[in-house]
Amino acid sequence: VLLPQFDPGNTGYISTGKFRNLLESHSSKLDPHKREVLLALADSHADGQICYQDFVNLVSALGPSPLGGTCLGKALLEEKGLNLSQRLIRHVAYETLPREIDRKWYYDSYTCCPPPWFMITVTLLEARTRVAFFLYNGVSLGQFVLQVTHPRYLKNSLVYHPQLRAQAWRYLTYIFMHAGIEHLGLNVVLQLLVGVPLEMVHGATRIGLVYVAGVVAGSLAVSVADMTAPVVGSSGGVYAVVSAHLANIVMNWSGMKCQFKLLRMAVALICMSMEFGRAVWLRFHPSAYPPCPHPSFVAHLGGVAVGITLGVVVLRNYEQRLQDQSLWWIFVAMYTVFVLFAVFWNIFAYTLLDLKLPPPP
């Protein structure tokens, strides 16, 4: 029993000094990043004391205790009598995290403050903007399907168009326009079902980084590989987040304890394949308003590339500082090189290749 050893007076508290000495004496047996988390707990108590129950919760999450004695905890999945919100948090932990120590730490520390605002806000903005334009264009054009090829549809300040590639904001804002309600629907479903739980675990900063990096990589990839096509839809960001999650599951297959993980992966891959297949078909389908081409599908591939590089590192290192990860810096350097290459490509290649671009909207 640990209590007599660290709290001989039975006060319910442990001094931060004893706690720090304990961690330093067993530093070689602890994950260095988890040690930093524990030290941060000690430093956060200005009164010089740590609640014993907090200490027990943290030590029990370590499994067979590196601090000596018997493991105090049990698997999170075995805990009974949880209310609905606690079961939801436990479910999210098992869906996204491969190690029991991370699941326990997340479950004990998650407060839903802040909530997963990034993915929800982006989804609402995309849905609202797309539906508004869909209804407006449907009434004004007398056409409620496949509006994306109509010159007037492209004539707005959001869509990426090769003739307007100098307007840098279009490399981001194209996510608010979609090729149809079904296109929007698949993206929204994937963002909410995959993106929101991931943001609950990893936070808005990390998930937002992966999402925005996928969005930018998607439009830049189109400007390099499919130079005459416009781009609409949030698939670059969606595919970055989802592919990072799927790759993380595959890499940590034995540690992922979520139920039906194979079925969940299959459903996600089927949805992504359907959406990607539709985008490929649409790109090569004859346009109803030539020479205006259909949107490119290459943005999907740019998102996947970001997901299996930057995204995997971000999702793998739960509660660990990315700045300390050498692989993180390698992928950041690769992404930066690609962005710089694409920028120079957009400045010089279009003129040198003398491409015949579609007329400006």
Side-chain angles (χ1 to χ4, degrees):
V1 181
L2 291 175
L3 183 57
Q5 181 180 356
F6 300 108
D7 184 23
N10 198 26
T11 63
Y13 291 89
I14 303 170
S15 71
T16 55
K18 287 185 178 180
F19 188 55
R20 294 184 70 91
N21 292 337
L22 176 69
L23 293 176
E24 290 170 0
S25 63
H26 294 83
S27 60
S28 61
K29 302 177 183 178
L30 286 169
D31 183 305
H33 298 286
K34 290 301 174 185
R35 185 177 69 249
E36 291 182 11
V37 172
L38 294 171
L39 288 172
L41 174 70
D43 294 336
S44 67
H45 289 70
D47 58 357
Q49 292 181 318
I50 297 174
C51 174
Y52 180 72
Q53 188 57 49
D54 289 345
F55 172 66
V56 169
N57 290 340
L58 289 167
V59 174
S60 66
L62 296 173
S65 177
L67 306 179
T70 307
C71 174
L72 300 174
K74 58 183 177 180
L76 181 59
L77 206 57
E78 298 174 6
E79 296 189 9
K80 307 295 183 182
L82 304 181
N83 59 36
L84 182 61
S85 63
Q86 290 173 325
R87 289 200 300 270
L88 174 62
I89 295 171
R90 181 176 66 180
H91 174 76
V92 169
Y94 276 90
E95 282 289 309
T96 56
L97 295 171
R99 298 194 303 170
E100 187 68 19
I101 179 175
D102 287 331
R103 291 191 284 261
K104 285 283 289 183
W105 173 254
Y106 167 72
Y107 177 80
D108 290 336
S109 60
Y110 183 70
T111 61
C112 198
C113 185
W117 61 268
F118 176 81
M119 293 305 305
I120 293 176
T121 302
V122 168
T123 301
L124 290 176
L125 287 174
E126 290 174 2
R128 181 178 179 180
T129 305
R130 175 63 189 112
V131 171
F133 271 96
F134 177 78
L135 295 176
Y136 171 77
N137 289 329
V139 172
S140 62
L141 303 177
Q143 175 181 324
F144 281 93
V145 293
L146 225 58
Q147 303 169 350
V148 73
T149 56
H150 197 286
R152 197 184 302 177
Y153 177 91
L154 297 173
K155 195 173 184 178
N156 65 68
S157 58
L158 300 178
V159 175
Y160 169 84
H161 192 281
Q163 288 279 22
L164 303 173
R165 63 189 183 279
Q167 299 175 359
W169 67 85
R170 293 178 181 268
Y171 292 89
L172 273 174
T173 58
Y174 74 92
I175 67 173
F176 298 111
M177 302 297 292
H178 287 76
I181 295 298
E182 67 282 359
H183 183 204
L184 172 66
L186 281 171
N187 282 338
V188 165
V189 167
L190 288 172
Q191 284 182 180
L192 294 179
L193 292 183
V194 178
V196 170
L198 288 177
E199 186 178 345
M200 289 174 63
V201 172
H202 296 281
T205 301
R206 292 189 179 214
I207 298 304
L209 172 65
V210 175
Y211 188 88
V212 173
V215 169
V216 174
S219 53
L220 288 177
V222 172
S223 71
V224 172
D226 197 3
M227 301 168 67
T228 62
V231 187
V232 294
S234 57
S235 296
V238 173
Y239 277 51
V241 172
V242 175
S243 61
H245 178 52
L246 295 181
N248 196 45
I249 291 177
V250 172
M251 293 172 62
N252 300 280
W253 187 261
S254 61
M256 302 299 293
K257 302 299 182 182
C258 53
Q259 291 181 317
F260 311 115
K261 58 186 176 183
L262 189 59
L263 177 61
R264 294 171 189 274
M265 281 191 63
V267 170
L269 289 172
I270 289 172
C271 290
M272 293 172 68
S273 300
M274 288 174 56
E275 206 272 316
F276 180 71
R278 179 190 179 280
V280 173
W281 172 84
L282 185 62
R283 173 67 181 93
F284 295 107
H285 187 73
S287 173
Y289 302 96
C292 296
H294 286 289
S296 176
F297 60 86
V298 177
H300 300 68
L301 303 179
V304 171
V306 168
I308 61 178
T309 53
L310 279 176
V312 167
V313 176
V314 169
L315 300 191
R316 187 178 64 190
N317 294 287
Y318 171 71
E319 283 296 331
Q320 296 180 11
R321 293 188 301 180
L322 291 175
Q323 294 88 337
D324 295 338
Q325 306 297 315
S326 58
L327 195 60
W328 157 257
W329 287 111
I330 292 173
F331 287 141
V332 167
M334 291 171 57
Y335 184 82
T336 303
V337 169
F338 166 71
V339 170
L340 291 175
F341 168 78
V343 169
F344 283 103
W345 180 273
N346 276 269
I347 294 173
F348 300 108
Y350 281 76
T351 303
L352 294 174
L353 296 175
D354 194 25
L355 288 175
K356 184 178 181 181
L357 299 177

